[in-house]
Amino acid sequence: MLEWVELQSSGSKVRSELSNKVGALNACFFAKRGFQVELYEARKDVRTAKNARGRSINLALSYRGRQALKAIGIEDQVVSKGIPMKGRMIHSLSGRKSFIAYGTSSQYILSVDRTNLNRTLLFAASRYPNVKLIFEERLQHYNADNGILTFIRPDGSTYEVSQDLVVGCDGAFSTTRKQFMRQTRFDYSQVYIPHGYMELTIPPKNGDFAMEPNLLHIWPRNAFMMTGLPNLDKSFTCTLFMPFEEFEKLTTADEVLLFFKKYFPDSIPLIGIEALKQDYFRLPAQAMISVKCSSYHVGFKSILMGDAAHAVVPFYGQGMNAGFEDCMVFDELMDQFDNDFSKSLPEFSRLRVPDCHAIADLAMYNYVEMRQHVNTKWFVFRKYVDNILHFCLPRTVVPMYTMVAFTRIRYHEVIKRSKQQRMIINTLLFVVGMSATITGAAFFFKHFPKDLTMQLQNWNFSLM
Ligand code: EGO
């Protein structure tokens, strides 16, 4: 019996985003199980495409993503081309820099090149004889009732295929998901946040990194935020997050320069005045969408994974990691249920919906919190408090970022645990506060009983 999987990707409206990471990763997982896989990609093959620069340039790979890559044997290959970031470097308005480690020396996230990762994943998929890669053929329609897929060839002609399983890994604007929307009891919601993002580059300085390379650089300025991630060519990619409204206010090169002088002065000499003036206008600011839906499967023939199932805002650096974890979780379920789709599909939704809703919430929560309260001082303070509490109570208090980035604790458990931790911390603070008050009072009465009695008496007299 030939079983089969299809995965495809639709182009984004603003720019073509040459990527299908979750699709290619899934192809590897299914091929490893012995399935016949066809991987459909609407765009050109990134392995041979010349101008492969798509959406964002680098991504933060953490533990969950790495575990998935490990399961198909390409973790080391990807990690060797990634740059470890062992902590954050917080840049203050005055140019002061504060370093706060993520944890131990083995706890680091990796800055990986998106295009490189896409290529590695496609090469990995293409090495399986039972994987067929098809490029530049776009899914036009999918009938979830009879399982028939309609593809369009570059010349405009169409053809139909039908398979045992359709895995839709076609991104936040998924065509596969459109068919799910027609099913009863399928929930869907999407939100565009008011912020947009724009990428700028810090080129190498004298042939070396212009800032410390093994860190995630962050410029927290409440509503304006900027991050800097290192690249293999010794440059940094900075991502500026800002409300669209503010992006629209900056219409001339001089206004842009003034804006940077006011909010990110230390970054101007690093990016370069001329580069800044030009790069800002090269591309419009990009939108960010958060997508939630439920469930992730329809019948026993179709399932959504990655951004198609749960696009999240990038304020936790977890989008790709959550997508990779999807593939790994499904693979684990296929083991558990002996390749039986009628069991693994419903179980995937049962496990994954609460977790992916949780990471969508966590990412959105970070976005709201960062834009409202997080400036340099607050960021540094919060992370110090996290680290100190974790140091004092290593088993009881684990920072949320640590649970998200360096463990495979289920995302919904992370929320539960962080609520419990907050209760514990509050109780401790209360107990410490109360005992300090009682000790202080006891000390007071022991050393000044007479004075106090007299004072009280005087006071009583004066009241009378
Ligand atoms: C108080 C202090 C409340 C992505 C700090 C919340 C995100 C949030 C976008 C960083 C790291 C990978 C990222 C931390 C917080 C990537 C990340 C964080 C950004 C922006 C990002 C951290 C790409 C939020 N991880 N993170 O703890 O270092 O804390 F700044 Cl704008």
Side-chain angles (χ1 to χ4, degrees), residues 60 88 102 109 216 218 225-227 229 241 314-317 366 369-370 374 378-379 382-383 401:
R88 343 65 181 151
Y102 284 130
I109 56 174
L216 169 56
I218 305 180
M225 303 161 249
M226 195 162 73
T227 58
L229 273 80
F241 298 93
F315 298 94
Y316 231 119
N366 250 3
E369 177 158 5
M370 283 171 88
V374 181
W378 185 243
F379 200 114
R382 279 286 298 273
K383 299 301 167 186
Y401 193 83

Short mmCIF file of all heavy atoms in Angstrom, two decimals, residues 60 88 102 109 216 218 225-227 229 241 314-317 366 369-370 374 378-379 382-383 401, ligand 1:
data_model
loop_
_atom_site.label_atom_id
_atom_site.label_comp_id
_atom_site.label_asym_id
_atom_site.label_seq_id
_atom_site.Cartn_x
_atom_site.Cartn_y
_atom_site.Cartn_z
N ALA A 60 15.72 32.28 15.54
CA ALA A 60 16.30 31.78 16.78
C ALA A 60 15.87 30.33 16.98
O ALA A 60 14.69 30.04 17.10
CB ALA A 60 15.83 32.64 17.95
N ARG A 88 21.34 37.74 26.73
CA ARG A 88 20.93 38.95 26.03
C ARG A 88 21.87 40.07 26.40
O ARG A 88 22.38 40.15 27.51
CB ARG A 88 19.54 39.45 26.38
CG ARG A 88 18.47 38.68 27.02
CD ARG A 88 18.59 38.21 28.36
NE ARG A 88 17.35 37.45 28.72
CZ ARG A 88 17.34 36.47 29.58
NH1 ARG A 88 18.44 36.07 30.18
NH2 ARG A 88 16.22 35.86 29.87
N TYR A 102 21.43 33.50 29.78
CA TYR A 102 20.19 32.72 29.79
C TYR A 102 20.18 31.71 30.90
O TYR A 102 19.14 31.27 31.35
CB TYR A 102 20.01 32.00 28.45
CG TYR A 102 19.56 32.91 27.36
CD1 TYR A 102 20.20 32.95 26.13
CD2 TYR A 102 18.47 33.76 27.55
CE1 TYR A 102 19.79 33.80 25.13
CE2 TYR A 102 18.05 34.62 26.56
CZ TYR A 102 18.72 34.63 25.35
OH TYR A 102 18.30 35.48 24.38
N ILE A 109 20.62 29.87 22.81
CA ILE A 109 19.81 29.71 21.60
C ILE A 109 20.73 29.96 20.42
O ILE A 109 21.84 30.46 20.59
CB ILE A 109 18.58 30.66 21.60
CG1 ILE A 109 19.00 32.12 21.77
CG2 ILE A 109 17.62 30.28 22.72
CD1 ILE A 109 17.84 33.10 21.63
N LEU A 216 22.20 37.80 22.01
CA LEU A 216 21.03 38.38 21.38
C LEU A 216 20.97 39.84 21.83
O LEU A 216 20.77 40.11 23.02
CB LEU A 216 19.77 37.61 21.81
CG LEU A 216 18.40 38.20 21.48
CD1 LEU A 216 18.24 38.46 19.98
CD2 LEU A 216 17.29 37.28 21.94
N ILE A 218 19.39 43.40 22.34
CA ILE A 218 18.02 43.94 22.43
C ILE A 218 18.08 45.41 22.84
O ILE A 218 18.80 45.77 23.76
CB ILE A 218 17.16 43.14 23.44
CG1 ILE A 218 17.14 41.64 23.08
CG2 ILE A 218 15.73 43.68 23.48
CD1 ILE A 218 16.31 40.77 24.03
N MET A 225 11.08 48.69 19.62
CA MET A 225 12.02 47.66 20.06
C MET A 225 12.92 47.30 18.89
O MET A 225 12.48 47.33 17.74
CB MET A 225 11.28 46.39 20.46
CG MET A 225 10.26 46.58 21.53
SD MET A 225 9.10 45.22 21.54
CE MET A 225 7.63 45.98 20.98
N MET A 226 14.14 46.95 19.21
CA MET A 226 15.02 46.47 18.16
C MET A 226 15.82 45.29 18.67
O MET A 226 16.22 45.27 19.84
CB MET A 226 15.94 47.60 17.67
CG MET A 226 16.62 47.27 16.36
SD MET A 226 17.29 48.72 15.52
CE MET A 226 18.69 49.08 16.54
N THR A 227 16.02 44.32 17.80
CA THR A 227 16.87 43.17 18.16
C THR A 227 18.00 43.07 17.15
O THR A 227 17.86 43.53 16.01
CB THR A 227 16.09 41.85 18.11
OG1 THR A 227 15.56 41.69 16.79
CG2 THR A 227 14.95 41.82 19.10
N LEU A 229 20.65 40.07 15.67
CA LEU A 229 21.10 38.68 15.70
C LEU A 229 22.32 38.52 14.79
O LEU A 229 22.34 39.06 13.68
CB LEU A 229 20.00 37.73 15.24
CG LEU A 229 19.01 37.23 16.32
CD1 LEU A 229 17.97 38.28 16.62
CD2 LEU A 229 18.33 35.94 15.88
N PHE A 241 11.03 46.86 15.52
CA PHE A 241 9.58 46.67 15.71
C PHE A 241 8.99 48.00 16.14
O PHE A 241 9.49 48.63 17.08
CB PHE A 241 9.30 45.64 16.80
CG PHE A 241 9.82 44.26 16.50
CD1 PHE A 241 11.07 43.85 16.94
CD2 PHE A 241 9.05 43.36 15.78
CE1 PHE A 241 11.55 42.58 16.66
CE2 PHE A 241 9.52 42.07 15.50
CZ PHE A 241 10.78 41.69 15.95
N PRO A 314 6.35 37.26 16.80
CA PRO A 314 7.74 36.79 17.04
C PRO A 314 8.36 37.23 18.35
O PRO A 314 9.57 37.18 18.49
CB PRO A 314 8.50 37.41 15.86
CG PRO A 314 7.77 38.65 15.54
CD PRO A 314 6.32 38.40 15.88
N PHE A 315 7.55 37.59 19.36
CA PHE A 315 8.12 38.17 20.57
C PHE A 315 8.54 37.15 21.62
O PHE A 315 8.84 37.49 22.76
CB PHE A 315 7.16 39.22 21.16
CG PHE A 315 6.95 40.35 20.19
CD1 PHE A 315 5.88 40.35 19.31
CD2 PHE A 315 7.88 41.37 20.11
CE1 PHE A 315 5.72 41.37 18.38
CE2 PHE A 315 7.74 42.40 19.18
CZ PHE A 315 6.66 42.40 18.32
N TYR A 316 8.56 35.89 21.23
CA TYR A 316 9.16 34.87 22.09
C TYR A 316 10.21 34.07 21.32
O TYR A 316 10.84 33.17 21.86
CB TYR A 316 8.10 33.91 22.67
CG TYR A 316 8.22 33.75 24.16
CD1 TYR A 316 7.18 34.11 24.99
CD2 TYR A 316 9.39 33.27 24.73
CE1 TYR A 316 7.30 33.99 26.36
CE2 TYR A 316 9.51 33.15 26.09
CZ TYR A 316 8.47 33.52 26.90
OH TYR A 316 8.58 33.40 28.26
N GLY A 317 10.37 34.38 20.04
CA GLY A 317 11.33 33.64 19.23
C GLY A 317 11.01 32.16 19.14
O GLY A 317 11.90 31.33 19.08
N ASN A 366 4.00 38.66 25.78
CA ASN A 366 5.31 39.32 25.74
C ASN A 366 5.25 40.60 24.92
O ASN A 366 5.85 41.60 25.27
CB ASN A 366 6.34 38.39 25.09
CG ASN A 366 7.36 37.90 26.10
OD1 ASN A 366 7.26 38.22 27.28
ND2 ASN A 366 8.32 37.15 25.62
N GLU A 369 3.36 43.18 27.02
CA GLU A 369 4.15 43.62 28.17
C GLU A 369 5.35 44.46 27.72
O GLU A 369 5.62 45.51 28.29
CB GLU A 369 4.63 42.40 28.97
CG GLU A 369 5.52 42.85 30.12
CD GLU A 369 5.62 41.85 31.25
OE1 GLU A 369 5.09 40.75 31.11
OE2 GLU A 369 6.26 42.20 32.26
N MET A 370 6.04 44.01 26.68
CA MET A 370 7.23 44.73 26.25
C MET A 370 6.89 46.12 25.74
O MET A 370 7.58 47.08 26.05
CB MET A 370 7.99 43.93 25.19
CG MET A 370 8.77 42.78 25.80
SD MET A 370 9.47 41.69 24.59
CE MET A 370 11.03 42.47 24.28
N VAL A 374 8.31 47.66 29.14
CA VAL A 374 9.69 47.20 29.17
C VAL A 374 10.66 48.19 28.53
O VAL A 374 10.75 48.29 27.32
CB VAL A 374 9.82 45.78 28.56
CG1 VAL A 374 11.26 45.32 28.61
CG2 VAL A 374 8.95 44.79 29.32
N TRP A 378 13.80 48.07 33.37
CA TRP A 378 12.84 47.04 33.74
C TRP A 378 13.27 45.68 33.21
O TRP A 378 13.19 44.67 33.91
CB TRP A 378 11.45 47.45 33.24
CG TRP A 378 10.36 46.50 33.66
CD1 TRP A 378 9.57 45.74 32.86
CD2 TRP A 378 9.92 46.24 35.01
NE1 TRP A 378 8.69 45.01 33.61
CE2 TRP A 378 8.88 45.29 34.93
CE3 TRP A 378 10.32 46.70 36.27
CZ2 TRP A 378 8.23 44.81 36.06
CZ3 TRP A 378 9.67 46.21 37.40
CH2 TRP A 378 8.63 45.27 37.28
N PHE A 379 13.74 45.64 31.97
CA PHE A 379 14.20 44.39 31.37
C PHE A 379 15.31 43.79 32.22
O PHE A 379 15.24 42.63 32.65
CB PHE A 379 14.71 44.64 29.94
CG PHE A 379 14.75 43.41 29.07
CD1 PHE A 379 13.92 43.30 27.96
CD2 PHE A 379 15.62 42.36 29.35
CE1 PHE A 379 13.95 42.15 27.16
CE2 PHE A 379 15.66 41.23 28.55
CZ PHE A 379 14.82 41.14 27.45
N ARG A 382 14.06 42.72 35.73
CA ARG A 382 13.25 41.49 35.70
C ARG A 382 14.10 40.24 35.51
O ARG A 382 13.88 39.22 36.14
CB ARG A 382 12.21 41.59 34.57
CG ARG A 382 11.00 42.40 34.95
CD ARG A 382 10.11 41.63 35.91
NE ARG A 382 9.63 40.41 35.29
CZ ARG A 382 8.54 40.32 34.53
NH1 ARG A 382 7.77 41.38 34.35
NH2 ARG A 382 8.19 39.19 33.98
N LYS A 383 15.07 40.34 34.63
CA LYS A 383 15.90 39.16 34.36
C LYS A 383 16.83 38.85 35.53
O LYS A 383 17.12 37.70 35.80
CB LYS A 383 16.68 39.35 33.06
CG LYS A 383 15.80 39.53 31.82
CD LYS A 383 14.88 38.34 31.59
CE LYS A 383 13.81 38.68 30.55
NZ LYS A 383 12.81 37.60 30.41
N TYR A 401 11.23 32.04 30.52
CA TYR A 401 12.02 31.96 29.28
C TYR A 401 12.81 30.65 29.21
O TYR A 401 12.91 30.03 28.16
CB TYR A 401 12.98 33.16 29.14
CG TYR A 401 13.54 33.25 27.74
CD1 TYR A 401 12.81 33.86 26.72
CD2 TYR A 401 14.76 32.67 27.41
CE1 TYR A 401 13.29 33.91 25.42
CE2 TYR A 401 15.24 32.70 26.12
CZ TYR A 401 14.51 33.33 25.12
OH TYR A 401 14.98 33.36 23.84
C1 EGO B 1 10.17 41.54 30.92
C2 EGO B 1 11.44 41.48 30.35
C3 EGO B 1 9.13 40.90 30.27
C4 EGO B 1 12.08 38.68 19.87
C5 EGO B 1 11.64 40.81 29.15
C6 EGO B 1 9.34 40.21 29.09
C7 EGO B 1 11.90 37.51 23.68
C8 EGO B 1 11.50 38.04 24.92
C9 EGO B 1 11.58 39.96 19.72
C10 EGO B 1 13.45 39.44 21.68
C11 EGO B 1 14.05 36.99 24.60
C12 EGO B 1 14.46 35.03 20.86
C13 EGO B 1 13.02 38.41 20.86
C14 EGO B 1 13.65 37.50 25.83
C15 EGO B 1 10.61 40.15 28.53
C16 EGO B 1 14.12 36.20 20.17
C17 EGO B 1 13.16 36.97 23.53
C18 EGO B 1 12.37 38.06 26.00
C19 EGO B 1 12.96 40.70 21.52
C20 EGO B 1 12.02 40.97 20.54
C21 EGO B 1 13.55 37.06 21.07
C22 EGO B 1 14.64 37.47 26.93
C23 EGO B 1 14.34 36.41 18.71
C24 EGO B 1 10.83 39.39 27.26
N1 EGO B 1 14.13 35.21 22.15
N2 EGO B 1 13.60 36.43 22.28
O1 EGO B 1 14.26 37.17 28.06
O2 EGO B 1 15.82 37.69 26.65
O3 EGO B 1 12.01 38.59 27.23
F1 EGO B 1 13.36 41.72 22.31
CL1 EGO B 1 11.44 42.58 20.34
#
